[in-house]
Amino acid sequence: PAPGGPARAAATRNALAAAMPASYGPHLALFAALEAALPGHRLVGDSTKPVYTATEFLHRPAPRRFFSASTGFGTLGYALPAAIGAMIADPDVPAVALVGDGGLMFTLPELAVAVANRVPVVVVVWNNGGYAEIRDAMVAKAIAPLGVTHPSPDIAAIAAGFGCPAARARGIDEVVT
């Protein structure tokens, strides 16, 4: 390592934590709940607000335990098929797909693939009524939101229709059950 590298990295992490927006708090609570429920899991993230938080603040216990499509290029729909692939490649490490309700609509039929192939992947949907990140960026630039808010379907019912056990968590404390 470069001289002083670990100290500079620690200082950067501390500066980021000090500047962290309060809106990241629920995301961090979600990550803690997931880790408590599935220690050492592999998190596969779509382009959704909590995953953007994860790219800055989530520290995983081992390499290859966090994969993300939140690169700023709007790669919606990545998490579910990637989590299925991760489970097939390494079935000993639970995979959690963290996806927004808008992004899930891009690859929802992949639930059928998981069921048909008996791939036990956990899907956590961050439901914010559409494409909230894009909506918030539009509002911040004084652009009237257009095409970024949609009514979310009953995702638990759809998952059950594919044969997946599903439940709607109304709070972080319900994620671990």
Side-chain angles (χ1 to χ4, degrees):
R8 285 194 316 275
T12 300
R13 281 192 298 276
N14 290 338
L16 280 171
M20 180 175 33
S23 63
Y24 287 17
H27 307 160
L28 298 175
L30 173 63
F31 303 143
L34 290 172
E35 188 60 29
L38 293 168
H41 68 277
R42 179 172 287 116
L43 183 65
V44 183
D46 215 271
S47 187
T48 190
K49 285 187 171 200
V51 177
Y52 281 97
T53 300
T55 60
E56 293 181 58
F57 296 104
L58 182 64
H59 300 286
R60 301 301 300 137
R64 292 181 285 289
R65 297 296 167 95
F66 177 58
F67 295 90
S68 169
S70 62
T71 60
F73 295 109
T75 312
L76 294 165
Y78 165 82
L80 181 53
I84 292 169
M87 279 303 300
I88 291 169
D90 187 0
D92 294 331
V93 178
V96 176
L98 177 55
V99 59
D101 56 311
L104 180 64
M105 297 302 124
F106 281 71
T107 55
L108 189 59
E110 294 299 319
L111 289 176
V113 171
V115 170
N117 291 285
R118 303 176 148 242
V119 180
V121 65
V122 175
V123 181
V124 175
V125 180
W126 189 263
N127 192 335
N128 53 22
Y131 305 104
E133 182 197 340
I134 300 168
R135 181 176 57 234
D136 293 350
M138 292 171 85
V139 169
K141 301 244 186 240
I143 300 169
L146 179 64
V148 291
T149 302
H150 61 77
S152 294
D154 185 339
I155 295 169
I158 293 170
F162 280 114
C164 303
R168 181 183 181 128
R170 301 205 185 275
I172 297 299
D173 57 321
E174 292 182 18
V175 170
V176 298
T177 58

